Amino acid sequence: MSDTHAESVAFVRETALPPTAPPMAASGPVLWARTNLFATWPNAILSIAAAYVIYLILAATLPWMLNGVWTADSLRGCREVLDGTSGACFSVLTERWNQLLFGFNYPSELYWRPTLAFVLLFVAAAPVLFFDLPRKLLIFTGLYPFLAYWLIWGGTIFIPLVALIGVIVGYAVYDRLVKRNFALGFFSGIAAAAVVWWIGGALIEQFAFGAPMMEEIASRNLGGFMLNMMLGVTCVSLSLPIGVALALGRQSSLPVVKMICVVFIEFIRGVPLITLLFVANVMLAYFFPPGSGVDLFLRVVIMITMFSAAYIAEVIRGGLAALPKGQYEAADSLGLDYAQSMRLIILPQALKISIPGIVNIAVGLFKDTTLVSVISLFDIVGMIRGPILASTDWAGVYWELFMFAGGMFFIVCYGISQYSQWLERRLATDHR
Amino acid sequence: MAEAKQMQVSDEVAISIQKMNKWYGTFHVLRDIDLTVHRGERIVICGPSGSGKSTLIRCINALEEHQKGRIEVDGTVLSSDLKNIDKIRSEVGMCFQHFNLFPHLTILENCTLAPIWVRKTPKKEAEEIAMHFLEKVKIPDQALKYPGQLSGGQQQRVAIARSLCMRPRIMLFDEPTSALDPEMIKEVLDTMIELAEEGMTMICVTHEMGFARQVANRVIFMDEGQIVEQNEPEAFFNHPQSPRTQLFLSQILGH
Ligand SMILES: Nc1ncnc2c1ncn2[C@@H]1O[C@H](COP(=O)(O)OP(=O)(O)O)[C@@H](O)[C@H]1O
Ligand SMILES: [Mg+2]
């Protein structure tokens, strides 16, 4: 290479070195095990101890699971099949499958309705969760709540239809007036929607449009995991915007708005959810006149939504506080008004910071929907503790049932967690 | 040189500040500020840290509220009326010490956001305007990157382009180069000099005395919330009148 110049010049490279491939990545299972599990003596001892613990757990549970009985018709039947050996009695899951999913009062010939609503939920949620999808799909998302209501509760289509028209009219009025004044637009919008609902309600009663077009199901008859899903989806999607509004309200320069938000948040956060649920069960019935249609489901939704909105508001407040003051000033100095700077500059950044906290609350909320079993709603836990374990056939099948319920919740919560991690990666623009 | 500078200044008043006072709580930050800026004039404000320079220029676009006196920008009197404030802000561009770009938006989106939402410019047209100004600050090839991927000097030039996209008639700069590494200061100053040569009305808080000599019509020295001395750059630097100005200049030019 440099033998000619070696004597005269200390070192001068005359040609660029050819590029070389990066060193071979360490691969192969043996090599992996050696570097990760048995690198040092303490490391090796820990690995062996861990393997032993895993073995103990599997040795205790695997035979029990694999030996499980799926086809007996009662616990006694299971015992006969097992004949003294150890084994799970999974028959309860197959036998009471529909009850676990839909509760025990939903007419079995109508199971297709909530199932269809469940499938459509994914279509409706997709454009919200994955914002690269065409924005036109959001139209279906907007219609979905009304459609799902009709599918699950049945009855006349005119009720969700009037509700939808009310929302549209309210939004149109809001859109018209908001340019002049936010408060004017907001309250006029609500008033317009209320007028439409009131007129619509009167018309339905007057002309007996109320005749059911699909068999009507009372809220009392909803149950099983379906009830948990309904509460979870409704409350999460309602509490997010309310939480944002509360967080912004808490920062407001208007003392009245600020005080209302602070008092609301501090009060709700200071009270256990279960007390709120008891209040929903007993007290709210006094506020709303009987037969006014404010049924238990709605009351529970209101309570859980208020509860999680207060928590979400605090998480978002943290995100807002983490933004440098310069972001507000830059937005102001460009002439953006309050709504624009919040929507385009502040909230996108604050919400991104708050994603882990919001997901934490959403997951917690979803699991907390099982608390409704204490006010005698038959969600999946209510079904297990009530009708199933109380039946003579299945009294005592605890493990299998609660494993199943846990598994159902795990699937949903794990999905939420995975989605949020994808979202965080997708939104990472700061330092790429 | 000085004559060439005078040429572009018109008689029209762009900013007029009369007997303006501001307090932070009980702390009297700005005292009886009187300042008239003509269209096309370039003003450099200097003074020790904490003397109220930032506060003064932030009062001009109402990022800070003044409590006494009168500020008129482009014929609009600043009052607490939100309509007036928005109008003034959309005609006065501002560049900050720490750039304050929006990190969640691309460079192009940073530049088109305000024209689209405030001026209601169609998206396509806004993008053309943005590319025009990004070319002017010499970074059109970074348009699709995010602010976090750019150097400090590039970010500050984007910030200037972002303000220019609103077609402001007045530009305010608050120490635009003091957060930058030395080798990046020049690229930002060059951009500002170019802007000055086009006749933009500018108020710059800066300690870049070379810049002041080259482009300013007037240099203002502030201390303890007051305008202590103002003069043309040559006279200001060569024959400072007040002892406080002399002390400040000896400190800043000393090293
Ligand atoms: N938001 C504020 N609240 C209270 N005091 C402030 C605030 N902002 C600035 N000050 C004070 O006002 C004075 C002037 O500040 P500033 O205008 O930033 O000075 P300069 O830009 O000349 O360094 C300083 O003493 C500073 O501490
Ligand atoms: Mg300053």
Side-chain angles (χ1 to χ4, degrees), chain A residues 332-336, chain B residues 59-65 76-92:
Chain A
D332 284 347
S333 75
L334 286 170
L336 297 172
Chain B
C59 281
I60 294 174
N61 67 351
L63 283 184
E64 300 287 353
E65 209 178 343
T76 312
V77 178
L78 254 187
S79 58
S80 53
D81 186 349
L82 288 177
K83 281 230 175 66
N84 280 354
I85 291 180
D86 283 340
K87 179 168 184 295
I88 286 174
R89 282 178 181 164
S90 63
E91 290 183 7
V92 178

PDB file of all heavy atoms in Angstrom, chain A residues 332-336, chain B residues 59-65 76-92:
ATOM      1  N   ASP A 332     -49.846  32.654  18.907  1.00  0.00           N
ATOM      2  CA  ASP A 332     -50.471  33.973  19.044  1.00  0.00           C
ATOM      3  C   ASP A 332     -49.880  34.958  18.049  1.00  0.00           C
ATOM      4  O   ASP A 332     -50.598  35.718  17.403  1.00  0.00           O
ATOM      5  CB  ASP A 332     -50.256  34.517  20.464  1.00  0.00           C
ATOM      6  CG  ASP A 332     -51.176  33.849  21.468  1.00  0.00           C
ATOM      7  OD1 ASP A 332     -52.125  33.176  21.023  1.00  0.00           O
ATOM      8  OD2 ASP A 332     -50.946  33.994  22.678  1.00  0.00           O
ATOM      9  N   SER A 333     -48.544  34.951  17.939  1.00  0.00           N
ATOM     10  CA  SER A 333     -47.904  35.987  17.121  1.00  0.00           C
ATOM     11  C   SER A 333     -48.232  35.807  15.642  1.00  0.00           C
ATOM     12  O   SER A 333     -48.074  36.736  14.870  1.00  0.00           O
ATOM     13  CB  SER A 333     -46.398  35.979  17.333  1.00  0.00           C
ATOM     14  OG  SER A 333     -45.826  34.882  16.673  1.00  0.00           O
ATOM     15  N   LEU A 334     -48.671  34.601  15.256  1.00  0.00           N
ATOM     16  CA  LEU A 334     -49.057  34.408  13.858  1.00  0.00           C
ATOM     17  C   LEU A 334     -50.504  34.830  13.616  1.00  0.00           C
ATOM     18  O   LEU A 334     -50.988  34.772  12.493  1.00  0.00           O
ATOM     19  CB  LEU A 334     -48.888  32.943  13.461  1.00  0.00           C
ATOM     20  CG  LEU A 334     -47.434  32.503  13.261  1.00  0.00           C
ATOM     21  CD1 LEU A 334     -47.356  30.998  13.118  1.00  0.00           C
ATOM     22  CD2 LEU A 334     -46.840  33.167  12.043  1.00  0.00           C
ATOM     23  N   GLY A 335     -51.207  35.195  14.672  1.00  0.00           N
ATOM     24  CA  GLY A 335     -52.571  35.665  14.510  1.00  0.00           C
ATOM     25  C   GLY A 335     -53.626  34.573  14.616  1.00  0.00           C
ATOM     26  O   GLY A 335     -54.791  34.806  14.318  1.00  0.00           O
ATOM     27  N   LEU A 336     -53.233  33.369  15.060  1.00  0.00           N
ATOM     28  CA  LEU A 336     -54.233  32.321  15.253  1.00  0.00           C
ATOM     29  C   LEU A 336     -55.113  32.693  16.444  1.00  0.00           C
ATOM     30  O   LEU A 336     -54.605  33.223  17.438  1.00  0.00           O
ATOM     31  CB  LEU A 336     -53.546  30.984  15.538  1.00  0.00           C
ATOM     32  CG  LEU A 336     -52.660  30.409  14.436  1.00  0.00           C
ATOM     33  CD1 LEU A 336     -51.912  29.186  14.939  1.00  0.00           C
ATOM     34  CD2 LEU A 336     -53.489  30.046  13.224  1.00  0.00           C
TER      35      LEU A 336
ATOM     36  N   CYS B  59     -44.878  44.043  23.591  1.00  0.00           N
ATOM     37  CA  CYS B  59     -46.072  44.876  23.748  1.00  0.00           C
ATOM     38  C   CYS B  59     -46.605  45.304  22.381  1.00  0.00           C
ATOM     39  O   CYS B  59     -47.804  45.540  22.218  1.00  0.00           O
ATOM     40  CB  CYS B  59     -45.754  46.119  24.573  1.00  0.00           C
ATOM     41  SG  CYS B  59     -45.692  45.797  26.345  1.00  0.00           S
ATOM     42  N   ILE B  60     -45.705  45.390  21.405  1.00  0.00           N
ATOM     43  CA  ILE B  60     -46.123  45.894  20.096  1.00  0.00           C
ATOM     44  C   ILE B  60     -47.095  44.928  19.421  1.00  0.00           C
ATOM     45  O   ILE B  60     -48.022  45.350  18.735  1.00  0.00           O
ATOM     46  CB  ILE B  60     -44.887  46.159  19.207  1.00  0.00           C
ATOM     47  CG1 ILE B  60     -44.076  47.309  19.814  1.00  0.00           C
ATOM     48  CG2 ILE B  60     -45.292  46.483  17.769  1.00  0.00           C
ATOM     49  CD1 ILE B  60     -42.771  47.570  19.114  1.00  0.00           C
ATOM     50  N   ASN B  61     -46.907  43.598  19.599  1.00  0.00           N
ATOM     51  CA  ASN B  61     -47.935  42.704  19.033  1.00  0.00           C
ATOM     52  C   ASN B  61     -48.794  42.078  20.121  1.00  0.00           C
ATOM     53  O   ASN B  61     -49.372  41.012  19.940  1.00  0.00           O
ATOM     54  CB  ASN B  61     -47.316  41.651  18.116  1.00  0.00           C
ATOM     55  CG  ASN B  61     -46.451  40.665  18.862  1.00  0.00           C
ATOM     56  OD1 ASN B  61     -46.175  40.849  20.034  1.00  0.00           O
ATOM     57  ND2 ASN B  61     -46.044  39.620  18.166  1.00  0.00           N
ATOM     58  N   ALA B  62     -48.851  42.759  21.276  1.00  0.00           N
ATOM     59  CA  ALA B  62     -49.800  42.394  22.329  1.00  0.00           C
ATOM     60  C   ALA B  62     -49.567  41.007  22.907  1.00  0.00           C
ATOM     61  O   ALA B  62     -50.474  40.406  23.455  1.00  0.00           O
ATOM     62  CB  ALA B  62     -51.247  42.524  21.845  1.00  0.00           C
ATOM     63  N   LEU B  63     -48.340  40.494  22.787  1.00  0.00           N
ATOM     64  CA  LEU B  63     -48.054  39.274  23.548  1.00  0.00           C
ATOM     65  C   LEU B  63     -48.014  39.629  25.031  1.00  0.00           C
ATOM     66  O   LEU B  63     -48.266  38.792  25.886  1.00  0.00           O
ATOM     67  CB  LEU B  63     -46.714  38.676  23.129  1.00  0.00           C
ATOM     68  CG  LEU B  63     -46.689  37.912  21.801  1.00  0.00           C
ATOM     69  CD1 LEU B  63     -45.328  37.289  21.570  1.00  0.00           C
ATOM     70  CD2 LEU B  63     -47.770  36.859  21.762  1.00  0.00           C
ATOM     71  N   GLU B  64     -47.658  40.893  25.310  1.00  0.00           N
ATOM     72  CA  GLU B  64     -47.767  41.417  26.669  1.00  0.00           C
ATOM     73  C   GLU B  64     -48.716  42.607  26.613  1.00  0.00           C
ATOM     74  O   GLU B  64     -48.751  43.331  25.620  1.00  0.00           O
ATOM     75  CB  GLU B  64     -46.406  41.892  27.191  1.00  0.00           C
ATOM     76  CG  GLU B  64     -45.341  40.820  27.255  1.00  0.00           C
ATOM     77  CD  GLU B  64     -45.573  39.836  28.399  1.00  0.00           C
ATOM     78  OE1 GLU B  64     -46.490  40.069  29.214  1.00  0.00           O
ATOM     79  OE2 GLU B  64     -44.836  38.840  28.450  1.00  0.00           O
ATOM     80  N   GLU B  65     -49.465  42.765  27.701  1.00  0.00           N
ATOM     81  CA  GLU B  65     -50.430  43.849  27.768  1.00  0.00           C
ATOM     82  C   GLU B  65     -49.775  45.049  28.449  1.00  0.00           C
ATOM     83  O   GLU B  65     -49.088  44.869  29.449  1.00  0.00           O
ATOM     84  CB  GLU B  65     -51.619  43.373  28.603  1.00  0.00           C
ATOM     85  CG  GLU B  65     -52.920  44.002  28.264  1.00  0.00           C
ATOM     86  CD  GLU B  65     -54.026  43.402  29.145  1.00  0.00           C
ATOM     87  OE1 GLU B  65     -53.813  42.332  29.732  1.00  0.00           O
ATOM     88  OE2 GLU B  65     -55.073  44.032  29.245  1.00  0.00           O
ATOM     89  N   THR B  76     -53.817  51.059  13.605  1.00  0.00           N
ATOM     90  CA  THR B  76     -54.755  50.411  14.511  1.00  0.00           C
ATOM     91  C   THR B  76     -54.280  50.614  15.941  1.00  0.00           C
ATOM     92  O   THR B  76     -53.133  50.310  16.266  1.00  0.00           O
ATOM     93  CB  THR B  76     -54.828  48.901  14.231  1.00  0.00           C
ATOM     94  OG1 THR B  76     -54.985  48.711  12.833  1.00  0.00           O
ATOM     95  CG2 THR B  76     -55.979  48.269  14.969  1.00  0.00           C
ATOM     96  N   VAL B  77     -55.165  51.124  16.792  1.00  0.00           N
ATOM     97  CA  VAL B  77     -54.778  51.340  18.181  1.00  0.00           C
ATOM     98  C   VAL B  77     -54.947  50.039  18.945  1.00  0.00           C
ATOM     99  O   VAL B  77     -55.980  49.375  18.859  1.00  0.00           O
ATOM    100  CB  VAL B  77     -55.639  52.450  18.813  1.00  0.00           C
ATOM    101  CG1 VAL B  77     -55.259  52.621  20.278  1.00  0.00           C
ATOM    102  CG2 VAL B  77     -55.463  53.750  18.068  1.00  0.00           C
ATOM    103  N   LEU B  78     -53.903  49.673  19.699  1.00  0.00           N
ATOM    104  CA  LEU B  78     -53.969  48.442  20.484  1.00  0.00           C
ATOM    105  C   LEU B  78     -54.853  48.650  21.695  1.00  0.00           C
ATOM    106  O   LEU B  78     -54.569  49.489  22.539  1.00  0.00           O
ATOM    107  CB  LEU B  78     -52.566  48.099  20.983  1.00  0.00           C
ATOM    108  CG  LEU B  78     -51.848  46.946  20.312  1.00  0.00           C
ATOM    109  CD1 LEU B  78     -50.568  46.648  21.051  1.00  0.00           C
ATOM    110  CD2 LEU B  78     -52.738  45.740  20.281  1.00  0.00           C
ATOM    111  N   SER B  79     -55.930  47.895  21.753  1.00  0.00           N
ATOM    112  CA  SER B  79     -56.748  47.931  22.957  1.00  0.00           C
ATOM    113  C   SER B  79     -57.027  46.483  23.309  1.00  0.00           C
ATOM    114  O   SER B  79     -56.506  45.576  22.680  1.00  0.00           O
ATOM    115  CB  SER B  79     -58.050  48.685  22.671  1.00  0.00           C
ATOM    116  OG  SER B  79     -58.724  48.042  21.615  1.00  0.00           O
ATOM    117  N   SER B  80     -57.849  46.279  24.319  1.00  0.00           N
ATOM    118  CA  SER B  80     -58.092  44.893  24.701  1.00  0.00           C
ATOM    119  C   SER B  80     -59.075  44.213  23.741  1.00  0.00           C
ATOM    120  O   SER B  80     -59.379  43.045  23.905  1.00  0.00           O
ATOM    121  CB  SER B  80     -58.603  44.831  26.135  1.00  0.00           C
ATOM    122  OG  SER B  80     -59.716  45.685  26.258  1.00  0.00           O
ATOM    123  N   ASP B  81     -59.528  44.955  22.733  1.00  0.00           N
ATOM    124  CA  ASP B  81     -60.433  44.369  21.755  1.00  0.00           C
ATOM    125  C   ASP B  81     -59.715  43.274  20.955  1.00  0.00           C
ATOM    126  O   ASP B  81     -58.710  43.516  20.302  1.00  0.00           O
ATOM    127  CB  ASP B  81     -60.916  45.480  20.797  1.00  0.00           C
ATOM    128  CG  ASP B  81     -61.982  44.960  19.846  1.00  0.00           C
ATOM    129  OD1 ASP B  81     -62.164  43.723  19.796  1.00  0.00           O
ATOM    130  OD2 ASP B  81     -62.620  45.772  19.168  1.00  0.00           O
ATOM    131  N   LEU B  82     -60.256  42.046  21.036  1.00  0.00           N
ATOM    132  CA  LEU B  82     -59.565  40.915  20.419  1.00  0.00           C
ATOM    133  C   LEU B  82     -59.433  41.064  18.908  1.00  0.00           C
ATOM    134  O   LEU B  82     -58.467  40.607  18.312  1.00  0.00           O
ATOM    135  CB  LEU B  82     -60.296  39.609  20.744  1.00  0.00           C
ATOM    136  CG  LEU B  82     -60.142  39.139  22.188  1.00  0.00           C
ATOM    137  CD1 LEU B  82     -60.958  37.885  22.431  1.00  0.00           C
ATOM    138  CD2 LEU B  82     -58.680  38.869  22.508  1.00  0.00           C
ATOM    139  N   LYS B  83     -60.408  41.711  18.281  1.00  0.00           N
ATOM    140  CA  LYS B  83     -60.365  41.870  16.825  1.00  0.00           C
ATOM    141  C   LYS B  83     -59.140  42.673  16.419  1.00  0.00           C
ATOM    142  O   LYS B  83     -58.410  42.312  15.503  1.00  0.00           O
ATOM    143  CB  LYS B  83     -61.626  42.595  16.345  1.00  0.00           C
ATOM    144  CG  LYS B  83     -62.823  41.672  16.270  1.00  0.00           C
ATOM    145  CD  LYS B  83     -63.524  41.793  14.917  1.00  0.00           C
ATOM    146  CE  LYS B  83     -64.651  40.789  14.805  1.00  0.00           C
ATOM    147  NZ  LYS B  83     -65.749  41.061  15.756  1.00  0.00           N
ATOM    148  N   ASN B  84     -58.899  43.793  17.146  1.00  0.00           N
ATOM    149  CA  ASN B  84     -57.732  44.619  16.863  1.00  0.00           C
ATOM    150  C   ASN B  84     -56.443  43.841  17.052  1.00  0.00           C
ATOM    151  O   ASN B  84     -55.526  43.927  16.242  1.00  0.00           O
ATOM    152  CB  ASN B  84     -57.717  45.842  17.781  1.00  0.00           C
ATOM    153  CG  ASN B  84     -58.654  46.906  17.278  1.00  0.00           C
ATOM    154  OD1 ASN B  84     -59.213  46.763  16.194  1.00  0.00           O
ATOM    155  ND2 ASN B  84     -58.843  47.945  18.065  1.00  0.00           N
ATOM    156  N   ILE B  85     -56.419  43.068  18.127  1.00  0.00           N
ATOM    157  CA  ILE B  85     -55.189  42.334  18.427  1.00  0.00           C
ATOM    158  C   ILE B  85     -54.892  41.338  17.316  1.00  0.00           C
ATOM    159  O   ILE B  85     -53.764  41.251  16.824  1.00  0.00           O
ATOM    160  CB  ILE B  85     -55.317  41.629  19.792  1.00  0.00           C
ATOM    161  CG1 ILE B  85     -55.324  42.683  20.902  1.00  0.00           C
ATOM    162  CG2 ILE B  85     -54.171  40.661  19.992  1.00  0.00           C
ATOM    163  CD1 ILE B  85     -55.450  42.125  22.289  1.00  0.00           C
ATOM    164  N   ASP B  86     -55.904  40.586  16.897  1.00  0.00           N
ATOM    165  CA  ASP B  86     -55.677  39.611  15.828  1.00  0.00           C
ATOM    166  C   ASP B  86     -55.242  40.291  14.538  1.00  0.00           C
ATOM    167  O   ASP B  86     -54.396  39.787  13.811  1.00  0.00           O
ATOM    168  CB  ASP B  86     -56.943  38.779  15.591  1.00  0.00           C
ATOM    169  CG  ASP B  86     -57.115  37.722  16.670  1.00  0.00           C
ATOM    170  OD1 ASP B  86     -56.105  37.411  17.333  1.00  0.00           O
ATOM    171  OD2 ASP B  86     -58.238  37.221  16.845  1.00  0.00           O
ATOM    172  N   LYS B  87     -55.827  41.456  14.272  1.00  0.00           N
ATOM    173  CA  LYS B  87     -55.464  42.179  13.049  1.00  0.00           C
ATOM    174  C   LYS B  87     -53.996  42.586  13.096  1.00  0.00           C
ATOM    175  O   LYS B  87     -53.245  42.382  12.146  1.00  0.00           O
ATOM    176  CB  LYS B  87     -56.361  43.413  12.900  1.00  0.00           C
ATOM    177  CG  LYS B  87     -56.065  44.250  11.673  1.00  0.00           C
ATOM    178  CD  LYS B  87     -57.179  45.263  11.438  1.00  0.00           C
ATOM    179  CE  LYS B  87     -56.979  46.065  10.169  1.00  0.00           C
ATOM    180  NZ  LYS B  87     -55.785  46.916  10.223  1.00  0.00           N
ATOM    181  N   ILE B  88     -53.602  43.158  14.222  1.00  0.00           N
ATOM    182  CA  ILE B  88     -52.214  43.609  14.349  1.00  0.00           C
ATOM    183  C   ILE B  88     -51.261  42.422  14.260  1.00  0.00           C
ATOM    184  O   ILE B  88     -50.247  42.464  13.576  1.00  0.00           O
ATOM    185  CB  ILE B  88     -52.032  44.383  15.664  1.00  0.00           C
ATOM    186  CG1 ILE B  88     -52.690  45.757  15.517  1.00  0.00           C
ATOM    187  CG2 ILE B  88     -50.565  44.515  16.017  1.00  0.00           C
ATOM    188  CD1 ILE B  88     -52.712  46.568  16.760  1.00  0.00           C
ATOM    189  N   ARG B  89     -51.625  41.321  14.942  1.00  0.00           N
ATOM    190  CA  ARG B  89     -50.718  40.179  14.945  1.00  0.00           C
ATOM    191  C   ARG B  89     -50.520  39.597  13.561  1.00  0.00           C
ATOM    192  O   ARG B  89     -49.455  39.083  13.231  1.00  0.00           O
ATOM    193  CB  ARG B  89     -51.238  39.099  15.881  1.00  0.00           C
ATOM    194  CG  ARG B  89     -50.955  39.425  17.325  1.00  0.00           C
ATOM    195  CD  ARG B  89     -51.529  38.360  18.202  1.00  0.00           C
ATOM    196  NE  ARG B  89     -51.273  38.671  19.606  1.00  0.00           N
ATOM    197  CZ  ARG B  89     -51.919  38.089  20.599  1.00  0.00           C
ATOM    198  NH1 ARG B  89     -52.841  37.181  20.336  1.00  0.00           N
ATOM    199  NH2 ARG B  89     -51.639  38.406  21.836  1.00  0.00           N
ATOM    200  N   SER B  90     -51.576  39.652  12.754  1.00  0.00           N
ATOM    201  CA  SER B  90     -51.406  39.056  11.433  1.00  0.00           C
ATOM    202  C   SER B  90     -50.613  39.979  10.512  1.00  0.00           C
ATOM    203  O   SER B  90     -50.195  39.561   9.447  1.00  0.00           O
ATOM    204  CB  SER B  90     -52.769  38.708  10.832  1.00  0.00           C
ATOM    205  OG  SER B  90     -53.515  39.879  10.652  1.00  0.00           O
ATOM    206  N   GLU B  91     -50.378  41.220  10.930  1.00  0.00           N
ATOM    207  CA  GLU B  91     -49.572  42.115  10.095  1.00  0.00           C
ATOM    208  C   GLU B  91     -48.181  42.353  10.644  1.00  0.00           C
ATOM    209  O   GLU B  91     -47.350  42.986   9.999  1.00  0.00           O
ATOM    210  CB  GLU B  91     -50.293  43.458   9.932  1.00  0.00           C
ATOM    211  CG  GLU B  91     -51.505  43.292   9.070  1.00  0.00           C
ATOM    212  CD  GLU B  91     -52.225  44.586   8.808  1.00  0.00           C
ATOM    213  OE1 GLU B  91     -51.690  45.633   9.192  1.00  0.00           O
ATOM    214  OE2 GLU B  91     -53.305  44.520   8.228  1.00  0.00           O
ATOM    215  N   VAL B  92     -47.942  41.862  11.849  1.00  0.00           N
ATOM    216  CA  VAL B  92     -46.630  42.021  12.464  1.00  0.00           C
ATOM    217  C   VAL B  92     -46.019  40.637  12.637  1.00  0.00           C
ATOM    218  O   VAL B  92     -46.575  39.789  13.323  1.00  0.00           O
ATOM    219  CB  VAL B  92     -46.764  42.709  13.840  1.00  0.00           C
ATOM    220  CG1 VAL B  92     -45.411  42.836  14.496  1.00  0.00           C
ATOM    221  CG2 VAL B  92     -47.407  44.065  13.677  1.00  0.00           C
TER     222      VAL B  92
END
